[in-house]
Amino acid sequence: MRRVVCPGSFDPVHKGHLEIIMRAAGLFDEVVVAVSTNPAKQYRFPEEVRLEMIGESLSGISGVTVQPMGHGLLAEYCKRIGADAIIKGLRGSTDYSFETPMAAMNRHLTGVETVFLHGEGPYQHVSSTLIKEVASLGGDVSSFVPKAVLQRL
Ligand code: PNS
């Protein structure tokens, strides 16, 4: 049984995230979408709403579960739930530069591997930050977020 963790704050989840989660579900027996909340960060949506939006967007997809990550290290969380790997989507070189030191650190901490999927196609430029900014100024983000998010934005 191969379990992988797809971590993030998902504030809010968008179609780029969902594409990576679906592709991960094709590679692993179980994908745990782990929703992080950092007390030092300000979120647009509270944790329970972020969990709800992902749950609604992925309902009926077998092999995918959604959980709060709780506080502490991602590497320790993976160890605790028996995950073999962390999965991340990479949109480009900026993501690569940001993610690779974390992958090395996580491997150093508990041995957990990180698997990167290349984020292709129509969601390459999409981020939660951009979605929030465009939506707050009245722009149309309906192509980039699931219904569960659009109705709450
Ligand atoms: O969606 P985000 O906010 O970019 O997600 C970042 C996340 C949750 C992957 C990252 O903040 C994280 O790993 N947090 C847990 C704390 C931790 O393990 N820090 C050390 C990383 S090497």
PDB file of all heavy atoms in Angstrom, residues 15 18 25 37 40 47 52-53 65 72 80 82 91 93-94 99 109 113 115-116 123 127 134 136 138 142 147 152:
ATOM      1  N   LYS A  15      -7.854  24.597  -9.476  1.00  0.00           N
ATOM      2  CA  LYS A  15      -7.839  23.458 -10.402  1.00  0.00           C
ATOM      3  C   LYS A  15      -6.435  22.934 -10.675  1.00  0.00           C
ATOM      4  O   LYS A  15      -6.268  21.776 -11.039  1.00  0.00           O
ATOM      5  CB  LYS A  15      -8.563  23.829 -11.695  1.00  0.00           C
ATOM      6  CG  LYS A  15     -10.074  23.935 -11.481  1.00  0.00           C
ATOM      7  CD  LYS A  15     -10.807  24.106 -12.799  1.00  0.00           C
ATOM      8  CE  LYS A  15     -12.315  24.202 -12.568  1.00  0.00           C
ATOM      9  NZ  LYS A  15     -13.047  24.448 -13.844  1.00  0.00           N
ATOM     10  N   LEU A  18      -5.993  20.470  -7.970  1.00  0.00           N
ATOM     11  CA  LEU A  18      -6.829  19.278  -8.191  1.00  0.00           C
ATOM     12  C   LEU A  18      -6.233  18.388  -9.283  1.00  0.00           C
ATOM     13  O   LEU A  18      -6.271  17.159  -9.167  1.00  0.00           O
ATOM     14  CB  LEU A  18      -8.269  19.689  -8.553  1.00  0.00           C
ATOM     15  CG  LEU A  18      -9.024  20.430  -7.436  1.00  0.00           C
ATOM     16  CD1 LEU A  18     -10.380  20.916  -7.935  1.00  0.00           C
ATOM     17  CD2 LEU A  18      -9.209  19.548  -6.194  1.00  0.00           C
ATOM     18  N   ALA A  25      -3.218  10.373  -7.617  1.00  0.00           N
ATOM     19  CA  ALA A  25      -4.099   9.231  -7.323  1.00  0.00           C
ATOM     20  C   ALA A  25      -3.893   8.108  -8.337  1.00  0.00           C
ATOM     21  O   ALA A  25      -4.163   6.938  -8.039  1.00  0.00           O
ATOM     22  CB  ALA A  25      -5.563   9.686  -7.312  1.00  0.00           C
ATOM     23  N   THR A  37      -2.080  24.642   8.615  1.00  0.00           N
ATOM     24  CA  THR A  37      -2.438  25.954   9.157  1.00  0.00           C
ATOM     25  C   THR A  37      -1.275  26.420  10.016  1.00  0.00           C
ATOM     26  O   THR A  37      -0.951  25.789  11.023  1.00  0.00           O
ATOM     27  CB  THR A  37      -3.731  25.875  10.000  1.00  0.00           C
ATOM     28  OG1 THR A  37      -4.787  25.407   9.142  1.00  0.00           O
ATOM     29  CG2 THR A  37      -4.126  27.236  10.550  1.00  0.00           C
ATOM     30  N   ALA A  40       1.227  31.648  12.398  1.00  0.00           N
ATOM     31  CA  ALA A  40       1.844  32.942  12.075  1.00  0.00           C
ATOM     32  C   ALA A  40       1.287  33.536  10.778  1.00  0.00           C
ATOM     33  O   ALA A  40       1.613  34.660  10.423  1.00  0.00           O
ATOM     34  CB  ALA A  40       3.352  32.764  11.962  1.00  0.00           C
ATOM     35  N   GLU A  47      -9.524  27.103   8.499  1.00  0.00           N
ATOM     36  CA  GLU A  47      -9.147  25.724   8.158  1.00  0.00           C
ATOM     37  C   GLU A  47     -10.348  24.841   7.813  1.00  0.00           C
ATOM     38  O   GLU A  47     -10.308  24.068   6.855  1.00  0.00           O
ATOM     39  CB  GLU A  47      -8.365  25.107   9.323  1.00  0.00           C
ATOM     40  CG  GLU A  47      -7.859  23.716   9.004  1.00  0.00           C
ATOM     41  CD  GLU A  47      -7.080  23.109  10.142  1.00  0.00           C
ATOM     42  OE1 GLU A  47      -7.687  22.485  11.029  1.00  0.00           O
ATOM     43  OE2 GLU A  47      -5.845  23.266  10.146  1.00  0.00           O
ATOM     44  N   GLU A  52     -13.419  21.738   3.865  1.00  0.00           N
ATOM     45  CA  GLU A  52     -14.735  21.525   3.232  1.00  0.00           C
ATOM     46  C   GLU A  52     -14.654  21.692   1.714  1.00  0.00           C
ATOM     47  O   GLU A  52     -15.176  20.868   0.971  1.00  0.00           O
ATOM     48  CB  GLU A  52     -15.667  22.624   3.744  1.00  0.00           C
ATOM     49  CG  GLU A  52     -16.937  22.176   4.445  1.00  0.00           C
ATOM     50  CD  GLU A  52     -17.588  23.424   5.046  1.00  0.00           C
ATOM     51  OE1 GLU A  52     -17.960  24.376   4.313  1.00  0.00           O
ATOM     52  OE2 GLU A  52     -17.698  23.429   6.269  1.00  0.00           O
ATOM     53  N   MET A  53     -13.986  22.759   1.278  1.00  0.00           N
ATOM     54  CA  MET A  53     -13.918  23.046  -0.160  1.00  0.00           C
ATOM     55  C   MET A  53     -13.185  21.933  -0.905  1.00  0.00           C
ATOM     56  O   MET A  53     -13.596  21.534  -1.989  1.00  0.00           O
ATOM     57  CB  MET A  53     -13.242  24.409  -0.404  1.00  0.00           C
ATOM     58  CG  MET A  53     -14.083  25.583   0.073  1.00  0.00           C
ATOM     59  SD  MET A  53     -13.432  27.205  -0.413  1.00  0.00           S
ATOM     60  CE  MET A  53     -11.960  27.343   0.571  1.00  0.00           C
ATOM     61  N   THR A  65      -8.103  11.117   0.429  1.00  0.00           N
ATOM     62  CA  THR A  65      -8.707  11.593   1.679  1.00  0.00           C
ATOM     63  C   THR A  65      -8.164  12.984   1.997  1.00  0.00           C
ATOM     64  O   THR A  65      -7.100  13.361   1.508  1.00  0.00           O
ATOM     65  CB  THR A  65      -8.401  10.647   2.865  1.00  0.00           C
ATOM     66  OG1 THR A  65      -6.983  10.574   3.019  1.00  0.00           O
ATOM     67  CG2 THR A  65      -8.940   9.251   2.650  1.00  0.00           C
ATOM     68  N   GLY A  72       3.413  21.412  13.435  1.00  0.00           N
ATOM     69  CA  GLY A  72       4.658  20.643  13.449  1.00  0.00           C
ATOM     70  C   GLY A  72       5.165  20.374  12.053  1.00  0.00           C
ATOM     71  O   GLY A  72       4.681  20.937  11.068  1.00  0.00           O
ATOM     72  N   ARG A  80       4.243   9.763  10.834  1.00  0.00           N
ATOM     73  CA  ARG A  80       3.142   9.383  11.727  1.00  0.00           C
ATOM     74  C   ARG A  80       2.043   8.635  10.978  1.00  0.00           C
ATOM     75  O   ARG A  80       1.481   7.681  11.483  1.00  0.00           O
ATOM     76  CB  ARG A  80       2.583  10.661  12.351  1.00  0.00           C
ATOM     77  CG  ARG A  80       1.897  10.492  13.665  1.00  0.00           C
ATOM     78  CD  ARG A  80       1.783  11.766  14.475  1.00  0.00           C
ATOM     79  NE  ARG A  80       1.079  12.845  13.818  1.00  0.00           N
ATOM     80  CZ  ARG A  80       1.593  14.039  13.553  1.00  0.00           C
ATOM     81  NH1 ARG A  80       2.854  14.284  13.878  1.00  0.00           N
ATOM     82  NH2 ARG A  80       0.905  14.973  12.958  1.00  0.00           N
ATOM     83  N   GLY A  82       2.395   7.061   8.111  1.00  0.00           N
ATOM     84  CA  GLY A  82       2.936   5.971   7.278  1.00  0.00           C
ATOM     85  C   GLY A  82       2.950   6.297   5.794  1.00  0.00           C
ATOM     86  O   GLY A  82       2.684   5.418   4.967  1.00  0.00           O
ATOM     87  N   ARG A  91       5.286  24.414 -11.161  1.00  0.00           N
ATOM     88  CA  ARG A  91       4.817  25.201 -12.304  1.00  0.00           C
ATOM     89  C   ARG A  91       5.976  25.765 -13.118  1.00  0.00           C
ATOM     90  O   ARG A  91       5.806  26.175 -14.240  1.00  0.00           O
ATOM     91  CB  ARG A  91       3.926  26.349 -11.822  1.00  0.00           C
ATOM     92  CG  ARG A  91       2.549  25.905 -11.357  1.00  0.00           C
ATOM     93  CD  ARG A  91       1.873  26.962 -10.522  1.00  0.00           C
ATOM     94  NE  ARG A  91       2.635  27.225  -9.309  1.00  0.00           N
ATOM     95  CZ  ARG A  91       2.161  27.873  -8.260  1.00  0.00           C
ATOM     96  NH1 ARG A  91       0.941  28.358  -8.283  1.00  0.00           N
ATOM     97  NH2 ARG A  91       2.909  28.053  -7.183  1.00  0.00           N
ATOM     98  N   SER A  93      10.455  27.326 -12.802  1.00  0.00           N
ATOM     99  CA  SER A  93      11.744  27.365 -12.112  1.00  0.00           C
ATOM    100  C   SER A  93      11.640  28.016 -10.725  1.00  0.00           C
ATOM    101  O   SER A  93      12.409  27.677  -9.821  1.00  0.00           O
ATOM    102  CB  SER A  93      12.773  28.085 -12.953  1.00  0.00           C
ATOM    103  OG  SER A  93      12.297  29.359 -13.298  1.00  0.00           O
ATOM    104  N   THR A  94      10.680  28.929 -10.538  1.00  0.00           N
ATOM    105  CA  THR A  94      10.528  29.557  -9.223  1.00  0.00           C
ATOM    106  C   THR A  94      10.070  28.505  -8.209  1.00  0.00           C
ATOM    107  O   THR A  94      10.595  28.426  -7.094  1.00  0.00           O
ATOM    108  CB  THR A  94       9.512  30.719  -9.291  1.00  0.00           C
ATOM    109  OG1 THR A  94       9.877  31.558 -10.372  1.00  0.00           O
ATOM    110  CG2 THR A  94       9.470  31.513  -8.018  1.00  0.00           C
ATOM    111  N   GLU A  99      11.051  24.715  -3.806  1.00  0.00           N
ATOM    112  CA  GLU A  99      10.687  23.385  -3.303  1.00  0.00           C
ATOM    113  C   GLU A  99      11.877  22.452  -3.055  1.00  0.00           C
ATOM    114  O   GLU A  99      11.814  21.617  -2.150  1.00  0.00           O
ATOM    115  CB  GLU A  99       9.727  22.689  -4.292  1.00  0.00           C
ATOM    116  CG  GLU A  99       8.354  23.346  -4.404  1.00  0.00           C
ATOM    117  CD  GLU A  99       7.511  23.216  -3.138  1.00  0.00           C
ATOM    118  OE1 GLU A  99       7.859  22.417  -2.238  1.00  0.00           O
ATOM    119  OE2 GLU A  99       6.496  23.928  -3.045  1.00  0.00           O
ATOM    120  N   LEU A 109      15.312  14.918   7.450  1.00  0.00           N
ATOM    121  CA  LEU A 109      14.631  14.799   8.747  1.00  0.00           C
ATOM    122  C   LEU A 109      14.142  13.378   9.039  1.00  0.00           C
ATOM    123  O   LEU A 109      14.371  12.848  10.120  1.00  0.00           O
ATOM    124  CB  LEU A 109      13.453  15.778   8.811  1.00  0.00           C
ATOM    125  CG  LEU A 109      13.831  17.268   8.930  1.00  0.00           C
ATOM    126  CD1 LEU A 109      12.617  18.156   8.679  1.00  0.00           C
ATOM    127  CD2 LEU A 109      14.440  17.570  10.298  1.00  0.00           C
ATOM    128  N   GLU A 113      10.680  10.845   0.912  1.00  0.00           N
ATOM    129  CA  GLU A 113      11.026  11.321  -0.431  1.00  0.00           C
ATOM    130  C   GLU A 113       9.990  12.350  -0.896  1.00  0.00           C
ATOM    131  O   GLU A 113       8.843  12.345  -0.426  1.00  0.00           O
ATOM    132  CB  GLU A 113      11.008  10.156  -1.439  1.00  0.00           C
ATOM    133  CG  GLU A 113      12.078   9.101  -1.180  1.00  0.00           C
ATOM    134  CD  GLU A 113      13.483   9.541  -1.614  1.00  0.00           C
ATOM    135  OE1 GLU A 113      13.652  10.691  -2.051  1.00  0.00           O
ATOM    136  OE2 GLU A 113      14.405   8.721  -1.501  1.00  0.00           O
ATOM    137  N   VAL A 115       8.175  13.663  -4.462  1.00  0.00           N
ATOM    138  CA  VAL A 115       7.962  13.400  -5.887  1.00  0.00           C
ATOM    139  C   VAL A 115       7.382  14.667  -6.497  1.00  0.00           C
ATOM    140  O   VAL A 115       6.412  15.225  -5.977  1.00  0.00           O
ATOM    141  CB  VAL A 115       6.967  12.222  -6.069  1.00  0.00           C
ATOM    142  CG1 VAL A 115       6.612  12.014  -7.531  1.00  0.00           C
ATOM    143  CG2 VAL A 115       7.522  10.949  -5.453  1.00  0.00           C
ATOM    144  N   PHE A 116       7.991  15.125  -7.584  1.00  0.00           N
ATOM    145  CA  PHE A 116       7.493  16.338  -8.254  1.00  0.00           C
ATOM    146  C   PHE A 116       6.768  15.974  -9.545  1.00  0.00           C
ATOM    147  O   PHE A 116       7.280  15.179 -10.334  1.00  0.00           O
ATOM    148  CB  PHE A 116       8.659  17.266  -8.601  1.00  0.00           C
ATOM    149  CG  PHE A 116       9.332  17.872  -7.398  1.00  0.00           C
ATOM    150  CD1 PHE A 116      10.655  17.570  -7.096  1.00  0.00           C
ATOM    151  CD2 PHE A 116       8.640  18.740  -6.562  1.00  0.00           C
ATOM    152  CE1 PHE A 116      11.280  18.116  -5.988  1.00  0.00           C
ATOM    153  CE2 PHE A 116       9.265  19.295  -5.446  1.00  0.00           C
ATOM    154  CZ  PHE A 116      10.579  18.983  -5.158  1.00  0.00           C
ATOM    155  N   TYR A 123      -3.345  25.569 -16.189  1.00  0.00           N
ATOM    156  CA  TYR A 123      -3.281  26.057 -14.799  1.00  0.00           C
ATOM    157  C   TYR A 123      -1.871  26.450 -14.370  1.00  0.00           C
ATOM    158  O   TYR A 123      -1.610  26.693 -13.198  1.00  0.00           O
ATOM    159  CB  TYR A 123      -3.862  25.005 -13.841  1.00  0.00           C
ATOM    160  CG  TYR A 123      -5.212  24.525 -14.284  1.00  0.00           C
ATOM    161  CD1 TYR A 123      -5.457  23.179 -14.508  1.00  0.00           C
ATOM    162  CD2 TYR A 123      -6.249  25.440 -14.509  1.00  0.00           C
ATOM    163  CE1 TYR A 123      -6.701  22.736 -14.953  1.00  0.00           C
ATOM    164  CE2 TYR A 123      -7.490  25.011 -14.960  1.00  0.00           C
ATOM    165  CZ  TYR A 123      -7.691  23.662 -15.181  1.00  0.00           C
ATOM    166  OH  TYR A 123      -8.927  23.252 -15.626  1.00  0.00           O
ATOM    167  N   SER A 127      -2.323  30.505  -9.125  1.00  0.00           N
ATOM    168  CA  SER A 127      -1.943  30.306  -7.719  1.00  0.00           C
ATOM    169  C   SER A 127      -3.100  30.794  -6.857  1.00  0.00           C
ATOM    170  O   SER A 127      -3.925  31.610  -7.309  1.00  0.00           O
ATOM    171  CB  SER A 127      -0.679  31.101  -7.380  1.00  0.00           C
ATOM    172  OG  SER A 127      -0.967  32.492  -7.425  1.00  0.00           O
ATOM    173  N   VAL A 134      -7.485  38.523  -7.881  1.00  0.00           N
ATOM    174  CA  VAL A 134      -8.346  38.782  -9.044  1.00  0.00           C
ATOM    175  C   VAL A 134      -9.819  38.766  -8.616  1.00  0.00           C
ATOM    176  O   VAL A 134     -10.596  39.661  -8.974  1.00  0.00           O
ATOM    177  CB  VAL A 134      -8.062  37.750 -10.169  1.00  0.00           C
ATOM    178  CG1 VAL A 134      -9.066  37.874 -11.295  1.00  0.00           C
ATOM    179  CG2 VAL A 134      -6.644  37.945 -10.700  1.00  0.00           C
ATOM    180  N   SER A 136     -11.089  39.338  -5.671  1.00  0.00           N
ATOM    181  CA  SER A 136     -11.437  40.456  -4.779  1.00  0.00           C
ATOM    182  C   SER A 136     -11.630  41.759  -5.552  1.00  0.00           C
ATOM    183  O   SER A 136     -12.299  42.672  -5.094  1.00  0.00           O
ATOM    184  CB  SER A 136     -10.375  40.638  -3.693  1.00  0.00           C
ATOM    185  OG  SER A 136      -9.227  41.205  -4.280  1.00  0.00           O
ATOM    186  N   GLY A 138     -13.028  41.773  -8.552  1.00  0.00           N
ATOM    187  CA  GLY A 138     -14.157  41.570  -9.457  1.00  0.00           C
ATOM    188  C   GLY A 138     -13.840  40.805 -10.726  1.00  0.00           C
ATOM    189  O   GLY A 138     -14.683  40.703 -11.620  1.00  0.00           O
ATOM    190  N   SER A 142     -13.624  31.870 -12.697  1.00  0.00           N
ATOM    191  CA  SER A 142     -14.434  30.638 -12.756  1.00  0.00           C
ATOM    192  C   SER A 142     -13.744  29.489 -13.510  1.00  0.00           C
ATOM    193  O   SER A 142     -14.072  28.331 -13.276  1.00  0.00           O
ATOM    194  CB  SER A 142     -15.809  30.921 -13.365  1.00  0.00           C
ATOM    195  OG  SER A 142     -15.643  31.497 -14.639  1.00  0.00           O
ATOM    196  N   LYS A 147     -16.356  24.575  -8.258  1.00  0.00           N
ATOM    197  CA  LYS A 147     -17.617  25.219  -7.850  1.00  0.00           C
ATOM    198  C   LYS A 147     -17.647  25.519  -6.354  1.00  0.00           C
ATOM    199  O   LYS A 147     -18.096  26.574  -5.913  1.00  0.00           O
ATOM    200  CB  LYS A 147     -18.781  24.289  -8.211  1.00  0.00           C
ATOM    201  CG  LYS A 147     -19.998  25.044  -8.747  1.00  0.00           C
ATOM    202  CD  LYS A 147     -21.213  24.164  -8.939  1.00  0.00           C
ATOM    203  CE  LYS A 147     -21.034  23.168 -10.082  1.00  0.00           C
ATOM    204  NZ  LYS A 147     -22.087  22.155 -10.159  1.00  0.00           N
ATOM    205  N   ARG A 152     -17.935  30.388  -2.662  1.00  0.00           N
ATOM    206  CA  ARG A 152     -17.527  30.977  -1.379  1.00  0.00           C
ATOM    207  C   ARG A 152     -16.653  32.222  -1.542  1.00  0.00           C
ATOM    208  O   ARG A 152     -16.406  32.920  -0.572  1.00  0.00           O
ATOM    209  CB  ARG A 152     -16.784  29.948  -0.538  1.00  0.00           C
ATOM    210  CG  ARG A 152     -17.694  28.854   0.033  1.00  0.00           C
ATOM    211  CD  ARG A 152     -16.832  27.779   0.652  1.00  0.00           C
ATOM    212  NE  ARG A 152     -17.557  26.761   1.376  1.00  0.00           N
ATOM    213  CZ  ARG A 152     -17.997  25.617   0.840  1.00  0.00           C
ATOM    214  NH1 ARG A 152     -17.826  25.359  -0.438  1.00  0.00           N
ATOM    215  NH2 ARG A 152     -18.628  24.725   1.587  1.00  0.00           N
TER     216      ARG A 152
END
